[in-house]
Amino acid sequence: MENRLNKLLANYVVEYHKLQNYHWYIKGKDFFQVHAKLEDIYNGINGAIDELAENILMIGYKPLASLKDFLEVADIEEAKMENIKSKHIFKEVLKDFDKLLKDVLEIKKQADEQNLYLISALMDDYVKEFSKNIWMINQVIED
Ligand SMILES: [Fe+2]
């Protein structure tokens, strides 16, 4: 469980920076709208990073806390440093969020089996948040 939680934490950190990268490098007529929305989303992830690390501590495990460790453990790919259109951003974010939701659901299942109620309840928040974002991004993509 400790490794799974740390992998989720590491992926949150990478996703946070990836969304900020897109916030900076988005190019196109919808810049203002998407630029602002990406900030909303990465601020949410930033809150989740702190929350998840503190919950890892609450159950007696050690959260990773260095960028080197995060990059080593994460399996979400970083974004390139180049201009990008919103269509490609949303496709990539959707792929990441689908993967993260799957990871969160697996952690929830395992937490329930181990009677880790704190972690199970925390995962409920992330299931809700990723599901909401996935739904919204799909609405944008299927324009
Ligand atoms: Fe900004």
Side-chain angles (χ1 to χ4, degrees):
M1 179 56 87
E2 187 170 20
N3 288 345
R4 268 174 187 252
L5 289 170
N6 268 318
K7 184 174 213 145
L8 186 65
L9 181 64
N11 277 329
Y12 279 2
V13 171
V14 170
E15 191 61 29
Y16 170 82
H17 287 282
K18 189 166 178 174
L19 289 162
Q20 193 162 55
N21 175 318
Y22 291 149
H23 167 82
W24 292 334
Y25 280 95
I26 168 153
K27 191 173 170 72
K29 289 193 176 66
D30 53 0
F31 174 91
F32 287 117
Q33 202 188 0
V34 178
H35 175 77
K37 186 64 207 170
L38 289 166
E39 185 170 350
D40 264 7
I41 301 176
Y42 74 63
N43 281 338
I45 303 244
N46 194 32
I49 290 168
D50 185 48
E51 190 182 40
L52 178 57
E54 288 175 359
N55 273 266
I56 291 172
L57 286 163
M58 283 178 217
I59 59 167
Y61 295 150
K62 289 181 78 178
L64 296 176
S66 88
L67 293 177
K68 190 171 161 284
D69 287 341
F70 288 141
L71 268 183
E72 230 168 72
V73 167
D75 56 5
I76 277 186
E77 218 176 293
E78 290 196 278
K80 291 191 185 113
M81 215 173 75
E82 59 188 26
N83 287 337
I84 181 166
K85 298 272 188 185
S86 62
K87 189 175 77 178
H88 301 295
I89 291 175
F90 287 134
K91 232 178 110 185
E92 184 67 19
V93 174
L94 191 61
K95 195 182 79 188
D96 290 347
F97 281 14
D98 278 337
K99 183 241 182 311
L100 288 169
L101 177 60
K102 219 175 114 221
D103 292 347
V104 163
L105 287 169
E106 276 170 24
I107 290 172
K108 162 127 187 123
K109 198 172 161 210
Q110 204 180 345
D112 284 339
E113 284 162 11
Q114 297 178 15
N115 296 333
L116 284 168
Y117 302 122
L118 190 74
I119 299 301
S120 178
L122 183 66
M123 293 306 122
D124 287 341
D125 294 342
Y126 302 151
V127 169
K128 216 179 290 177
E129 205 51 38
F130 284 123
S131 299
K132 191 176 86 183
N133 278 314
I134 288 167
W135 163 62
M136 290 194 296
I137 293 168
N138 269 316
Q139 290 301 99
V140 171
I141 284 179
E142 288 161 10
D143 189 355

